Every structure is written in structure tokens, then in C-alpha cells.
Amino acid sequence: MSKILNEVLAANASYSAGFGARAKLAMPPARGFAILTCMDARLDPAKFAGLAEGDAHVIRNAGGRASDDAIRSLVISYKLLGTREWFVVHHTDCGMETFTDEVMRRLLASSLKTASFGPDGWQDAGGGGSTEGDFVDWLTIRDQRESVLSDVGRIRSHPLVPASIPVHGFVYDVRSGALQPIRPAEKLEKAS
Ligand SMILES: [Zn+2]
């Protein structure tokens, strides 16, 4: 077994041994809300939003973007499992700001090895890539506030999302752990 596999299984054995009353948790989130956020390892929604097992849905992807699949989860979250308030949380220093579709496609066409990030941006070792990346929208981010507003707007205006569900937008600061609210008016102020 790999070291990581051993560590994960040991941690799980310990967790499961103390599982206790969590065995009786119901499927619908007890606190009736959902968070869409980035997969970034520095973000722990259970900690930054005060969640215990059973409290809320947490939907994660690269960037915390309102992709078709994130919306699929959110729709199931309210329609079948009763959430009634949603949070979209992007964050400072997001890796999704470090590349574009064109960069990602070039890197993947070059090779499937892990690329390195340096002063000249992303560089690839080369050898044995695939152009399949040309067919993926990587949903990169140019501006955190704009990406939050765009994703909140997309969810808000989606035909399968009822107007009764508040959708709150935030940028999480990876240097302080604080959530900064993002509202459309702030975008207008920034533009003027
Ligand atoms: Zn991120």
C-alpha cells in the first residue's frame, strides 16, 4: 500500500471508531443550506462555515464555478433534499486565475505530466499529450469578484432555480480565513 493510502485508512479507522450518534443522521441537510466552493486544499468549509456532519451540502469543483454539473447538484439539493439558502464561495489566490483555456489546452497537448509554475507561467515537460483538452471549457477565473457575480447570476437566473432561494456570493481570503461578501453594487463601484 502507498503511504497516503495507509494514512487515509488509519485516519478513517479512528474516525469510524468514534462515529457514535452520527450513525443516526438523516439524509436531508439539517440546517437546510448548500455551499458551492473551490476544491482548493486550503479551504475547509466545515471549519470556515461551522459545519458538522449532516448540516449542509458542500459542492466543490475547481474554482467553485457554477458549471452545469454544480447546478445539477444544487437543483437536487433543494428539490429533493430541501435546502433553501445557497452560498457561492470563490477565494483569493485561486489557481484558476493562473491559466486560460488556451494555456491548459497547450499544456495537455504537450504532455500528461504535472506542469510546473514559474516566472514565465506554466511550463510543461513535454511528451505524450492529448488534444482532448480542446473540448473542455476549463472555467478559468480572470477576476474573483466578477467570477462570483457571474456564477451567482447564472444560478439566480437558471430556469430550474426558484426565486425564493437566496444565493449569497463571497470571496474567501486565504490569508485571513474571512469571507468577504460580494454584491453587484460593488462591481459597479469598481467599474466607475
Ligand atoms: Zn481555487
Side-chain angles (χ1 to χ4, degrees):
M1 284 203 292
S2 77
K3 178 171 177 286
I4 295 293
L5 180 54
N6 275 327
E7 289 170 358
V8 167
L9 294 179
N12 180 253
S14 168
Y15 178 74
S16 179
F19 205 57
R22 285 173 285 205
K24 295 186 169 57
L25 287 170
M27 186 193 296
R31 293 172 61 200
F33 70 99
I35 297 173
L36 170 61
T37 194
C38 185
M39 68 184 190
D40 192 295
R42 294 167 292 184
L43 277 62
D44 185 344
K47 290 177 182 161
F48 77 63
L51 309 179
E53 290 92 334
D55 275 355
H57 283 147
V58 178
I59 298 147
R60 302 187 74 163
N61 62 34
R65 301 306 311 270
S67 61
D68 289 347
D69 194 64
I71 289 175
R72 177 186 70 87
S73 294
L74 287 168
V75 170
I76 290 169
S77 176
Y78 91 81
K79 183 68 182 175
L80 302 182
L81 294 164
T83 62
R84 53 194 180 273
E85 190 157 3
W86 295 345
F87 296 74
V88 174
V89 181
H90 296 177
H91 65 98
T92 60
D93 195 37
C94 186
M96 297 296 281
E97 296 170 80
T98 66
F99 64 99
T100 61
D101 278 352
E102 288 66 33
V103 168
M104 187 59 161
R105 289 166 182 166
R106 173 176 58 76
L107 291 170
L108 287 166
S110 167
S111 89
L112 303 185
K113 294 174 185 163
T114 299
S116 58
F117 191 72
D120 297 325
W122 286 104
Q123 301 297 327
D124 201 79
S130 167
T131 55
E132 194 63 28
D134 294 358
F135 300 94
V136 177
D137 183 344
W138 296 94
L139 299 175
T140 60
I141 292 174
R142 267 173 310 193
D143 177 283
Q144 293 144 16
R145 287 173 176 272
E146 281 176 18
S147 65
V148 170
L149 291 170
S150 166
D151 288 12
V152 167
R154 182 172 193 225
I155 295 166
R156 181 70 286 148
S157 62
H158 197 281
L160 296 177
V161 174
S164 59
I165 296 182
V167 185
H168 310 295
F170 290 91
V171 169
Y172 172 93
D173 186 339
V174 298
R175 300 292 166 227
S176 70
L179 290 171
Q180 295 177 286
I182 303 297
R183 300 184 187 93
E186 290 179 274
K187 187 186 182 187
L188 294 175
E189 283 165 17
K190 197 184 171 193
S192 63

